[in-house]
């Protein structure tokens, strides 16, 4: 039954890596308990055949337990052949100053985020409601250790009913509109099939620093999405701030789940390694035909190791004046500094092509 279902998906959805790399003989070699566990991991890709990956890990050790299968999907998606070893390197003194590209970029919107999961909880897809509330309570304690910090002091806002930090529906919607808070996860079929949006909105919330430059999502697709954002020209600034924010959060006694092979462990295999998405908003009116299409630009950015989306986030179109969100596609087998350099060099190339168009 399962094998037939997946083989059908493979015939109609060639990009579904769960289906592409599913091996009935490997599945049959697993014990009933392991088969049940693997089915939970790939259910999202079965219920959503248009998935690009089609799997979410439920426990950090899943990547080791099912490595013969998951490793094929991971290498395919991240285009990795040969030795796979994630190394972290936030870089040296090389400066990536957008003003060297064009003074007009002096006040660009920059954002860098990493996904992180605590080693001592199941990943979001396998958390019980009790786990989610215990995890949020742990994070409230961590944030209380930051409140008096000059750099990271801020406030925690909870979605959990009856939480002392609970915000109103109106406040929640306003934060979503400002792209500070994540959307209602129960509306996402991929996350729902994986159990990642179960018990919504219990155990979910966000921390925001007073200066608005640090935001931590609690209980989204990963346990934590830690992001720094600012307007400016020096990419190094935003990376450096993220790094010191991560250090400050880890110093509160958190241990993040890591794999010897894949680096930081994330729910989705697409985010393994650095778990990092670094992005910058850029106006490309010619390459987006004044914001009417992203199609041509998507092909072009792929050659530059970048992905492009509308400034409104995933699945949105270009904004007025052709405003788009650009980010390096690489997450795994790449260092943090290389991600920064890829973004900078991609902006240089796109600006040149835009001006020649
Ligand atoms: N819809 C899932 C997610 C892929 C990458 N995006 C994430 N992780 N937010 C899929 O497999 O297509």
């Amino acid at each position: 039954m399962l094998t037939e279902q997946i083989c059908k998906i493979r015939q109609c959805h060639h990009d579904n890596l769960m289906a592409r790399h599913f091996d009935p003989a490997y599945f049959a070699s697993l014990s009933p308990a392991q088969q049940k566990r693997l089915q939970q991991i790939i259910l999202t890709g079965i219920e959503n055949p248009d998935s690009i990956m089609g799997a979410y890990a439920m426990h950090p050790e899943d990547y080791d337990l099912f490595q013969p299968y998951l490793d094929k999907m991971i290498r395919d998606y991240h285009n990795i052949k040969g030795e796979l070893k994630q190394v972290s390197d936030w870089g040296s003194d090389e400066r990536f100053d957008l003003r060297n590209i064009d003074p007009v970029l002096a006040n660009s919107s920059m954002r860098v985020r990493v996904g992180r999961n605590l080693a001592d909880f199941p990943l979001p897809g396998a958390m019980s409601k009790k786990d989610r509330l215990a995890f949020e309570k742990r994070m409230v304690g961590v944030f209380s250790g930051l409140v008096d910090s000059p750099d990271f002091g801020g406030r925690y806002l909870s979605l959990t009913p009856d939480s002392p930090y609970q915000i109103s529906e109106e406040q929640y919607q306003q934060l979503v509109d400002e792209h500070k808070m994540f959307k209602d996860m129960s509306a996402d079929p991929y996350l729902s099939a994986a159990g990642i949006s179960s018990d919504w909105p219990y155990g979910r919330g966000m921390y925001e620093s007073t200066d608005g430059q640090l935001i931590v999502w609690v209980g989204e697709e990963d346990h934590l999405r830690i992001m720094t954002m600012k307007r400016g020209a020096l990419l190094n600034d935003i990376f450096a701030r993220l790094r010191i924010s991560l250090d400050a959060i880890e110093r509160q006694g958190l241990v993040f789940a890591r794999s010897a092979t894949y680096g930081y462990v994330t729910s989705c295999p697409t985010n393994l390694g650095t778990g990092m998405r670094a992005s910058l908003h850029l106006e490309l009116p010619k390459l987006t035909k004044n914001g009417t299409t992203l199609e041509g630009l998507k092909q072009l950015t792929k050659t530059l190791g970048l992905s492009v989306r509308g400034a409104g986030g995933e699945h949105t179109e270009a904004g007025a004046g052709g405003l788009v969100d650009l980010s390096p596609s690489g997450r795994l087998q790449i260092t943090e500094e290389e991600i920064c350099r890829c973004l900078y060099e991609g902006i240089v190339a796109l600006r040149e092509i835009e001006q020649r168009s």
Side-chain angles (χ1 to χ4, degrees):
M1 176 58 181
L2 178 80
T3 299
E4 290 77 26
Q5 228 181 335
I6 293 174
C7 290
K8 266 197 199 131
I9 292 170
R10 186 187 296 147
Q11 285 158 9
C12 307
H13 297 273
H14 305 300
D15 293 339
N16 183 317
L17 296 180
M18 174 283 297
R20 181 186 297 176
H21 293 288
F22 182 82
D23 174 359
Y26 169 71
F27 186 77
S29 72
L30 299 175
S31 69
Q34 286 173 328
Q35 287 182 353
K36 184 164 182 262
R37 187 163 170 168
L38 182 54
Q39 279 186 258
Q40 193 183 1
I41 293 167
I42 63 175
L43 186 59
T44 184
I46 295 169
E47 293 194 358
N48 303 282
D50 65 340
S51 294
I52 55 172
M53 180 59 80
Y56 290 102
M58 299 291 140
H59 301 272
E61 61 273 21
D62 286 344
Y63 289 110
D64 298 324
L65 267 178
F66 303 107
Q67 184 157 17
Y69 172 35
L70 298 181
D71 189 64
K72 289 176 189 156
M73 294 163 59
I74 291 163
R75 286 172 174 272
D76 190 344
Y77 177 84
H78 292 278
N79 192 26
I80 294 171
K81 297 168 181 60
E83 193 206 3
L84 168 47
K85 181 85 180 131
Q86 177 63 28
V87 173
S88 179
D89 181 350
W90 287 76
S92 51
D93 305 326
E94 185 173 357
R95 289 168 63 83
F96 299 102
D97 191 329
L98 299 169
R99 286 167 297 194
N100 295 335
I101 302 171
D102 187 328
V104 75
L105 299 177
N107 194 38
S108 298
S109 171
M110 308 182 287
R111 178 182 243 192
V112 188
R113 68 93 168 137
V114 292
R116 292 289 187 267
N117 291 281
L118 273 56
D120 53 352
F121 280 89
L123 293 174
M127 290 175 100
S128 64
K129 185 174 178 181
K130 189 178 169 194
D131 288 329
R132 297 186 198 280
L133 293 171
F135 166 68
E136 184 183 31
K137 187 176 177 186
R138 171 85 69 80
M139 290 315 301
V140 167
V142 167
F143 297 136
S144 64
L146 298 176
V147 168
D148 298 328
S149 153
D151 292 322
F152 310 114
R155 58 179 182 160
Y156 179 65
L157 308 170
S158 177
L159 303 184
T160 299
D162 304 326
S163 159
Y165 306 94
Q166 187 185 11
I167 56 175
S168 67
E169 181 59 31
E170 294 71 25
Q171 284 173 295
Y172 167 66
Q173 201 48 57
Q174 183 181 342
L175 288 166
V176 171
D177 295 344
E178 293 168 352
H179 305 300
K180 289 184 177 179
M181 170 65 96
F182 46 98
K183 297 171 186 166
D184 179 346
M185 294 162 66
S186 60
D188 182 316
Y190 307 95
L191 298 180
S192 296
I196 291 175
S197 51
S198 299
D199 312 307
W200 175 267
Y202 287 86
R204 276 72 174 207
M206 66 168 266
Y207 180 80
E208 183 184 22
S209 64
T210 308
D211 66 5
Q213 291 190 23
L214 168 65
I215 284 181
V216 182
W217 287 354
V218 171
E220 204 243 1
E221 180 183 309
D222 290 303
H223 290 151
L224 301 172
R225 289 293 174 90
I226 302 161
M227 57 195 86
T228 50
M229 62 209 68
K230 68 180 296 187
R231 298 190 74 88
L234 199 55
L235 289 182
N236 307 72
D237 280 355
I238 192 90
F239 277 77
R241 181 159 177 84
L242 177 60
R243 187 178 190 182
I244 58 174
S245 303
L246 276 167
D247 292 347
I249 290 168
E250 276 196 280
R251 274 200 305 274
Q252 301 298 318
L254 295 184
V255 177
F256 294 141
R258 297 184 70 162
S259 153
T261 307
Y262 302 118
Y264 285 104
V265 167
T266 52
S267 290
C268 184
T270 62
N271 281 309
L272 284 169
T274 58
M276 178 179 276
R277 184 177 188 280
S279 61
L280 183 127
H281 288 180
L282 191 67
E283 287 189 352
L284 296 170
K286 295 178 187 173
L287 290 173
T288 62
K289 295 184 174 52
N290 263 323
T292 58
T293 176
L294 286 178
E295 280 324 299
L297 185 54
K298 279 183 179 174
Q299 298 318 313
L300 172 62
T301 51
K302 208 167 183 175
T303 65
L304 299 171
L306 297 177
S307 58
V308 61
R309 56 176 63 166
E314 210 163 6
H315 312 308
T316 62
E317 287 306 313
L323 186 67
V324 295
D325 174 298
L326 295 159
S327 70
S329 308
R331 302 277 190 280
L332 176 63
Q333 195 92 319
I334 186 171
T335 67
E336 292 79 4
E337 182 190 36
E338 287 164 345
I339 289 174
C340 184
R341 180 180 291 109
C342 174
L343 180 56
Y344 181 83
E345 291 175 350
I347 302 300
V348 171
L350 283 170
R351 291 272 304 172
E352 284 172 3
I353 298 166
E354 168 77 10
Q355 282 159 358
R356 287 202 310 266
S357 303

